[in-house]
Amino acid sequence: MTQELLDTVPALRIGRPLVVAIDGPSGSGKSSVSKEVARRLHLAYLDTGAMYRALTWFCVTSGIDLGDAAAVEQAARDLVLDVSTSPLEEYVRVDGADVTDAIREPAISSAVSAVATTLGARTELIRRQRAIIEKHHRRMVVEGRDITTVVAPGAEVRMLLTASEEARLRRRGIQLGGTQNAEQLAAQVTQRDAKDSTVVNFTQAADGVVTLDSSELDFAETVDAALVIVTKVLNRD
């Protein structure tokens, strides 16, 4: 991406809605890329996956049976959640307690699909996600698994960020600082994707969604490619 284009990116659609919806499988780089795209565009940022992890942490620490759909759904309603919407800082708080690191622990990672596939809980978290987007005057980068099709199907830009399984496993291992073995990484990436895909399709782009394959791209190249997609989609409208 040229410096000239980079200089014009932050000025896109000033005073008008600009929701950039980014979906993709585990380890595709959604969070880091989405956060940097939000920073470059001077937009708010929402990691919806952190919301599902926070609910999972709340259920586990409260002793709620994850197989009890009604109990998990009620927990979603009871959850007192505060999640960062700035690309410049990261925090997740449940009832005032900082759980930013706790929700990334292997025990939560292995349990999150049970919560994420509980439809009543999804409905409640989707309601909250839409409310957060509106609170920020629809100027936000939102990333997850069902953003382009369910949470914000009317987003100005909709993108599917994907990568090969090998690349995704490698990136997730780096992200976690080598704290998990190969089996744990596989559970975090491929097994979780298989479970979550029973309730939402995040492996194939829906109509109007642009696919970005980052398998052969580094972080900076992926961010640049995402910004090019944003500008091209907006210029096309």
Side-chain angles (χ1 to χ4, degrees), residues 168-180:
R168 292 187 290 116
L169 285 168
R170 183 180 67 252
R171 291 169 186 170
R172 181 52 60 90
I174 294 172
Q175 180 187 25
L176 295 173
T179 60
Q180 298 190 27

Side-chain angles (χ1 to χ4, degrees), residues 20-85:
V20 179
I22 301 179
D23 285 331
S26 299
S28 59
K30 293 191 307 296
S31 295
S32 56
V33 170
S34 297
K35 192 177 297 183
E36 180 62 13
V37 168
R39 188 189 71 81
R40 298 267 195 103
L41 295 175
H42 291 198
L43 298 175
Y45 162 76
L46 180 61
D47 175 0
T48 63
M51 298 175 70
Y52 286 100
R53 286 176 172 274
L55 175 57
T56 304
W57 180 90
F58 179 61
C59 288
V60 170
T61 57
S62 300
I64 294 171
D65 179 2
L66 300 185
D68 185 339
V72 173
E73 180 177 347
Q74 186 59 51
R77 295 196 185 99
D78 295 339
L79 180 68
V80 180
L81 177 65
D82 181 20
V83 58
S84 169
T85 54

Side-chain angles (χ1 to χ4, degrees), residues 26-161:
S26 299
S28 59
K30 293 191 307 296
S31 295
S32 56
V33 170
S34 297
K35 192 177 297 183
E36 180 62 13
V37 168
R39 188 189 71 81
R40 298 267 195 103
L41 295 175
H42 291 198
L43 298 175
Y45 162 76
L46 180 61
D47 175 0
T48 63
M51 298 175 70
Y52 286 100
R53 286 176 172 274
L55 175 57
T56 304
W57 180 90
F58 179 61
C59 288
V60 170
T61 57
S62 300
I64 294 171
D65 179 2
L66 300 185
D68 185 339
V72 173
E73 180 177 347
Q74 186 59 51
R77 295 196 185 99
D78 295 339
L79 180 68
V80 180
L81 177 65
D82 181 20
V83 58
S84 169
T85 54
S86 168
L88 302 179
E89 61 180 337
E90 179 183 3
Y91 63 77
V92 182
R93 303 182 186 115
V94 173
D95 202 16
D98 188 333
V99 298
T100 308
D101 295 329
I103 65 172
R104 305 292 175 182
E105 291 294 326
I108 302 303
S109 297
S110 63
V112 68
S113 284
V115 170
T117 53
T118 300
L119 297 182
R122 288 194 78 86
T123 298
E124 170 59 18
L125 290 189
I126 288 168
R127 182 194 66 78
R128 294 190 188 206
Q129 291 155 15
R130 288 172 173 166
I132 292 171
I133 294 170
E134 294 299 328
K135 180 180 178 181
H136 287 274
H137 310 290
R138 296 187 57 82
R139 290 190 60 81
M140 173 174 270
V141 176
V142 189
E143 55 101 344
R145 296 181 182 274
D146 59 356
I147 313 305
T148 64
T149 56
V150 178
V151 177
E156 284 69 27
V157 180
R158 298 186 298 153
M159 191 184 315
L160 176 67
L161 178 59

Side-chain angles (χ1 to χ4, degrees), residues 169-230:
L169 285 168
R170 183 180 67 252
R171 291 169 186 170
R172 181 52 60 90
I174 294 172
Q175 180 187 25
L176 295 173
T179 60
Q180 298 190 27
N181 60 35
E183 184 178 345
Q184 289 173 322
L185 280 175
Q188 274 229 0
V189 178
T190 56
Q191 293 176 35
R192 182 186 166 195
D193 285 349
K195 292 177 182 177
D196 287 1
S197 65
T198 62
V199 295
V200 61
N201 182 4
F202 51 86
T203 59
Q204 293 182 323
D207 289 345
V209 177
V210 181
T211 298
L212 171 54
D213 188 333
S214 65
S215 300
E216 304 300 324
L217 304 178
D218 63 21
F219 173 71
E221 290 169 336
T222 305
V223 171
D224 284 353
L227 289 170
V228 166
I229 289 172
V230 171

